[in-house]
Every structure is written in C-alpha cells, then in structure tokens.
Amino acid sequence: MNTSNKSSALEQIRKAKLLFASGQIKESIKEFTLAEQEGYELLDIWLSRGAALLAISRYQPAETDFSNVIEVQQDNERAYYYRGIARAAQGRHLKAISDLTASLSRNSNRGIAHLIRGLSYAELGNRSDAILDINSAGAFSDAELKSFSKLFGTIGHPFRNALAFMSEENAPWNNLLDRSSADRLMKLLQ
C-alpha cells in the first residue's frame, strides 16, 4: 500500500470509529468497508465493523467479520466473545457456547460472556451449566450490563427458554443480584 492509500484508509478508519462512537452505526459500517477495500489493518476493521453490525442486529455479517479475525489470529479473545454473542443471537447456541468458552478461557472476567453462555445452556435445556454460568455472571458490574445493553439492545428473541428459566422464583441470580440488577437483566432479555 502506498503512502497516499495508507493515509486515506487511516482517515476512513478514524472517521468510521468516530461515527460508531457517536451512534451513527450504519454510516460507520460504510466507512469501515471503504477502509477494508483499501486493505488497511484488516483485523481492526473486521473487529470494529463486526461490533457495529452486531449493534444493528445484523448477526450473520457480524459473525463473518469475527470469523475473519479468528482465521488470522486464533487467540483473539474479543473476536470469540463477539462471535459468540452473534451466534447466540441467531439461536446457534452450541457454537455460541464454544466461542464464549474460548473467550472466557482467555479472559474469565467477562461477565456478559458468562451470562450469554449461561442463557445458551438454558436454551439447550442444560440447567446445571446454565446455573453455574449465571452464578458466575452475578459478579459482573452494572456498568458492563448497561454498556452491553446500550450497544446491543435487547437479546430476548433467541432466549425464550432462558427467559422463562430466569423468571422462576428460585432462579439462581435471585440470591446474587439486587432487585434493580435483576430487573435490568430481565429487560435485556425482553
């Protein structure tokens, strides 16, 4: 890539990230794609564009971007994390569990990864693993949940069984989360 093209692609990626940060998601995706066509820092573009696609519920193309990252960089924790969320949102729970497990093996502090993996286990009827993960998710902060919810909105449609499981009176998080946190968790799934 010559200096002029590199400068152009760098400017497009900066613009795309600013658009994404300001909530102009679709516009950011266009800029990420233009930067990709210039061939500049593809891993960064795929991760960023994938997150933008995830934010507007375009799960399949988001999954493709995260898969591209993993193909090049097998130890990229964020790519596994985001791809797991994309797969769970598509109802592909076994693959989501695999990705979220890969993410958690690299960063066990991702409460949302525990939560989504637990919900996927619940969808598959695996109550014991669901309870273990949801208990682990109890340690995540309200800030992480708010951030996730703000960026990705609600995720209820592929988690109908989990939603029913969570609303049970003796659900595992009833003893772990305060009422306000439990309510926010339920809103995330509706």
Side-chain angles (χ1 to χ4, degrees), residues 3-24 27-36 38 40-41 44-45 48:
T3 307
S4 174
N5 285 350
K6 186 174 183 178
S7 175
S8 173
L10 182 59
E11 185 56 37
Q12 284 178 304
I13 213 164
R14 280 189 197 128
K15 182 179 179 183
K17 287 183 178 186
L18 286 171
L19 288 166
F20 182 70
S22 69
Q24 298 175 63
E27 293 83 359
S28 76
I29 292 167
K30 290 176 189 171
E31 292 300 321
F32 284 126
T33 301
L34 289 172
E36 178 186 36
E38 296 291 328
Y40 186 74
E41 295 188 27
D44 188 29
I45 291 168
S48 299

Side-chain angles (χ1 to χ4, degrees), residues 86-150:
R87 286 176 164 177
Q90 295 175 78
R92 297 172 57 215
H93 298 293
L94 284 174
K95 289 186 178 223
I97 289 167
S98 176
D99 281 343
L100 294 167
T101 299
S103 170
L104 287 165
S105 73
R106 291 161 175 81
N107 177 2
S108 62
N109 294 323
R110 282 211 188 263
I112 296 295
H114 283 285
L115 173 64
I116 302 297
R117 188 174 70 174
L119 297 175
S120 287
Y121 278 130
E123 284 303 303
L124 296 173
N126 185 337
R127 188 178 183 95
S128 61
D129 283 337
I131 289 169
L132 286 172
D133 261 336
I134 292 167
N135 282 334
S136 296
F140 69 89
S141 71
D142 284 346
E144 185 182 10
L145 181 58
K146 283 180 188 175
S147 171
F148 180 86
S149 183
K150 181 180 177 187

Side-chain angles (χ1 to χ4, degrees), residues 4 19 44 46 76 86 103 130 136-137 159 168 173 178 186-187:
S4 174
L19 288 166
D44 188 29
W46 290 329
N76 192 302
S103 170
S136 296
F159 295 108
E168 291 178 11
W173 47 87
D178 61 38
M186 290 298 285
K187 285 179 186 172

